[in-house]
């Protein structure tokens, strides 16, 4: 998995052969094929390692924090921390998602996982009576999905915004648009 991460971070994975991945990992091609049948499975396995990322683990816990307003702030903060910690890899995967089945699958899985967490957060805020009048759950979910997307994170980074400033900006927008 380290070899896959390195090749992705260097922007070389998508042009690499399974043999080149095996060489980078210091194993034979046959050994690699005993564990993974394809490059798709290599990327899938590497993406499964995201589940152990501390920022992602914290994000999942923050969504149901006792204080829904704090849950919103923590969720945005942990989301930015996750994107930042995996940026070198995600930039490559998101960049080729239109042409690479494994990358497209990762992007869709991440989007669905995030949608589940954001849905839980919206319900939590609604139940606590924090939502602004006139904001539907569907609108709140759409806004949170946009604010916590990797694409939004990359746009802020491209504009030279630090992670700390990105959290502040995203949280300001969320509070202004969602909270009563």
């Amino acid at each position: 998995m380290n070899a896959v991460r390195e090749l992705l971070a260097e922007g070389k994975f998508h042009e690499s052969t399974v043999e080149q991945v095996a060489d980078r990992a210091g194993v034979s091609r046959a050994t690699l094929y005993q564990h993974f049948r394809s490059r798709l499975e290599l990327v899938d396995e590497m993406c499964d390692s995201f589940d152990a990322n501390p920022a992602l683990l914290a994000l999942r816990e923050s969504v149901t924090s006792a204080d829904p307003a704090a849950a919103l702030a923590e969720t945005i903060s942990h989301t930015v921390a996750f994107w930042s910690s995996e940026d070198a890899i995600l930039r490559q995967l998101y960049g080729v998602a239109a042409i690479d089945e494994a990358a497209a699958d990762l992007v869709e899985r991440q989007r669905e996982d995030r949608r589940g967490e954001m849905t839980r957060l919206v319900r939590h805020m609604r139940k606590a009576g924090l939502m602004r009048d006139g904001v539907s759950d569907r609108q709140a979910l759409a806004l949170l999905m946009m604010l916590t997307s990797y694409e939004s994170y990359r746009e802020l980074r491209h504009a030279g915004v630090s992670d700390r400033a990105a959290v502040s900006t995203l949280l300001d927008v969320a509070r202004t648009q969602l909270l009563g």
Side-chain angles (χ1 to χ4, degrees), residues 91-103:
R91 191 174 326 130
Q92 297 300 318
L93 291 171
Y94 274 67
V96 299
I99 60 171
D100 185 308
E101 183 181 341

Side-chain angles (χ1 to χ4, degrees), residues 143-156:
L143 180 69
L144 286 172
M145 289 298 290
M146 180 186 70
L147 293 175
T148 62
S149 72
Y150 181 67
E151 294 82 359
S152 293
Y153 170 77
R154 285 301 312 152
E155 285 297 327
L156 290 167

Side-chain angles (χ1 to χ4, degrees), residues 16 51 59 63-64 66 78 90 92 106 127 129 134 150 152 165 175:
S16 300
D51 289 342
L59 185 152
V63 168
T64 56
H78 295 311
L90 293 172
Q92 297 300 318
L106 163 76
K127 186 176 179 181
Y150 181 67
S152 293
R175 285 178 174 152

Side-chain angles (χ1 to χ4, degrees), residues 39-41 43-44 47 93 100-107 109:
R39 288 168 25 93
L40 180 76
E41 285 188 10
V43 172
D44 275 348
C47 292
L93 291 171
D100 185 308
E101 183 181 341
D105 184 54
L106 163 76
V107 169
R109 282 186 301 173

Side-chain angles (χ1 to χ4, degrees), residues 13-138:
F13 179 77
H14 300 288
E15 297 86 32
S16 300
T17 64
V18 172
E19 187 165 299
Q20 290 168 320
V21 173
D23 287 345
R24 174 74 67 109
V27 299
S28 71
R29 192 174 82 181
T31 299
L32 192 66
Y33 274 119
Q34 284 177 345
H35 298 280
F36 306 99
R37 293 178 298 199
S38 67
R39 288 168 25 93
L40 180 76
E41 285 188 10
L42 283 166
V43 172
D44 275 348
E45 181 68 25
M46 194 272 315
C47 292
D48 286 345
S49 73
F50 288 155
D51 289 342
N53 184 299
L56 192 57
L57 294 171
L59 185 152
R60 290 181 177 144
E61 290 179 21
S62 67
V63 168
T64 56
S65 172
D67 176 2
L72 176 63
E74 291 169 11
T75 297
I76 289 174
S77 177
H78 295 311
T79 300
V80 169
F82 173 72
W83 294 139
S84 180
S85 68
E86 301 290 354
D87 188 38
I89 293 164
L90 293 172
R91 191 174 326 130
Q92 297 300 318
L93 291 171
Y94 274 67
V96 299
I99 60 171
D100 185 308
E101 183 181 341
D105 184 54
L106 163 76
V107 169
E108 189 54 35
R109 282 186 301 173
Q110 282 189 331
R111 186 174 290 123
E112 288 307 311
D113 287 349
R114 193 164 40 85
R115 184 178 311 285
E117 298 300 328
M118 295 308 126
T119 298
R120 288 177 43 214
L121 178 59
V122 167
R123 288 180 185 144
H124 190 40
M125 292 188 309
R126 176 73 66 201
K127 186 176 179 181
L130 290 180
M131 298 290 274
R132 217 177 78 204
D133 288 339
V135 176
S136 71
D137 287 1
R138 178 176 275 176

